Amino acid sequence: QVQLVESGGGLVQAGGALRLSCVASRDTIHVYAMGWFRQAPGKEREFVGVISASGSTTSYTESVKGRFTISRDNAKNTVYLQMDSLKPEDTAIYSCAGSEYAYGSTWQEESFYDYWGQGTQVTVSS
């Protein structure tokens, strides 16, 4: 079992930036694809982006392309979500997720992931 803990959320003005971190309890995440999801109030959880186990491949939902960047430091068992040019519509609880697959064609789907963090709140004011 792997525990994932997110941090770095908070309140920021539109146009600002935040960096979220997701720390894993075990160093086995170096073989996991790691994804980020978010859930806004009253909405279903949605895919934000993902990074392959090696870090060589990333994929993002259209609404965050060019603004969000996922990276990972496997030596620190940590995955990051750098969020720039934030908009009020980015307000949500952000969760990281880990899959025991290194890569997958369905990695935008929640069912691809085996482990989930509790989430961290991001609020963007206008």
Side-chain angles (χ1 to χ4, degrees), residues 40-82:
K43 295 187 178 181
E44 294 186 352
R45 186 159 54 186
E46 66 169 348
F47 170 79
V48 174
V50 61
I51 187 166
S52 63
S54 68
S56 62
T57 303
T58 54
S59 178
Y60 302 92
T61 193
E62 194 64 35
S63 62
V64 308
K65 283 182 180 178
R67 300 189 299 121
F68 290 12
T69 304
I70 298 175
S71 61
R72 65 191 300 158
D73 185 340
N74 286 337
K76 295 182 178 179
N77 302 334
T78 302
V79 178
Y80 304 99
L81 177 64
Q82 177 67 43

Side-chain angles (χ1 to χ4, degrees), residues 13 38 48 55 78 93 95 114:
Q13 288 189 332
R38 66 185 180 185
V48 174
T78 302
I93 296 173
S95 301
D114 303 289

Side-chain angles (χ1 to χ4, degrees), residues 8-10 12 18 20 83 86 90-94 120-124:
V12 64
L18 284 174
L20 306 184
M83 304 185 294
L86 282 161
D90 294 319
T91 295
I93 296 173
Y94 285 72
T120 185
Q121 177 70 48
V122 171
T123 303
V124 184

